[in-house]
Amino acid sequence: MKTISIINLKGGVAKTITSCNMAHILATVHNKRVLLVDNDKQGNASKFYKVHNYDKLSLSEVMTERHIKLENVIVHTAYENLDIIQANMTLLRANREVLMDTTRPQQNRIKSALATVSDQYDYCIIDNAPDINISTINALVASQDVIIPVKIDNFAFDGLSELIEQIDNVTYDLNQQLTLKGCLVTCYMRNEVNKQGEEWLRNQTEYPVFETHIRRTEKVDESTFASIPIREYSIRCGASRDYLAFVEEYLK
Ligand SMILES: Nc1ncnc2c1ncn2[C@@H]1O[C@H](COP(=O)(O)OP(=O)(O)OP(=O)(O)O)[C@@H](O)[C@H]1O
Ligand SMILES: [Mg+2]
């Protein structure tokens, strides 16, 4: 199983849209067995796949409980080959609890849990919160690949160097397998700001950047209200074709 963290310290850059649609395309177009992990207390990925539920186990218990069976936390989505671990606001408390419990390692709880199902999935995609906290550190420790969605605006590159520093630290201290696969330009519009921002990103050499960018398409917003992955909601729209191309580029 290959584990991918979708992460950016900035909010609203399409981390969740990218996670949910990448998972859906890997499962339905490429026939891969996919586990999506919602690692954000907002629970947006869980809501998108209609599994957000306070009465059921969530990533919080994976973080805090010693003998949890992942089979009891994983739920099927409406899509074949696509399962999910949900998250909700209890993740806030769970993160605090992990930090206070020094009786066992704090940074590899997600990794240890995922190891128990690694032969059941080809890909695990972790949708992270716009933050660095103990559960995002756990995600980075559990991952091999990192993808950073970037939405070009005046603040697009704020926090990017801090995030890269965190990724470098985790790579150095805890997980030598971690690779930054690239930044992914999302919500792309054909205007001067986007052109210049993208050009700047492509001209720097510090971070790799995916060739594919994801066009801004109203259909994406609509698809979140309908809770339908973009390839089912509107197969021909720009974002739908771009996400397809992006996943292909990632797989190459
Ligand atoms: N290609 C796109 N075209 C149009 N709208 C988009 C596109 N991608 C994302 N959006 C919209 O941008 C908003 C933010 O997307 P999303 O929730 O995925 O961001 P996020 O990075 O996960 O945010 P957060 O940091 O709050 O978790 C949503 O309203 C979504 O519908
Ligand atoms: Mg999100």
Side-chain angles (χ1 to χ4, degrees), residues 15-17 40 42 44 127-128 130:
K15 296 181 292 296
T16 301
I17 293 290
D40 184 352
Q42 298 181 95
N44 292 155
D127 177 27
N128 284 284

Side-chain angles (χ1 to χ4, degrees), residues 17-77:
I17 293 290
T18 300
S19 303
C20 288
N21 284 297
M22 185 179 189
H24 175 257
I25 289 169
L26 282 170
T28 59
V29 178
H30 297 279
N31 248 323
K32 305 292 185 192
R33 300 165 302 167
V34 183
L35 176 63
L36 178 61
V37 176
D38 190 346
N39 189 18
D40 184 352
K41 62 182 183 308
Q42 298 181 95
N44 292 155
S46 310
K47 287 173 188 163
F48 188 80
Y49 280 111
K50 298 183 179 152
V51 299
H52 190 255
N53 188 335
Y54 278 98
D55 297 326
K56 297 227 165 107
L57 293 171
S58 69
L59 189 67
S60 302
E61 289 73 39
V62 175
M63 294 281 291
T64 55
E65 286 182 21
R66 209 179 277 261
H67 299 296
I68 190 105
K69 278 211 163 56
L70 217 52
E71 284 80 4
N72 298 332
V73 188
I74 293 171
V75 286
H76 299 306
T77 66

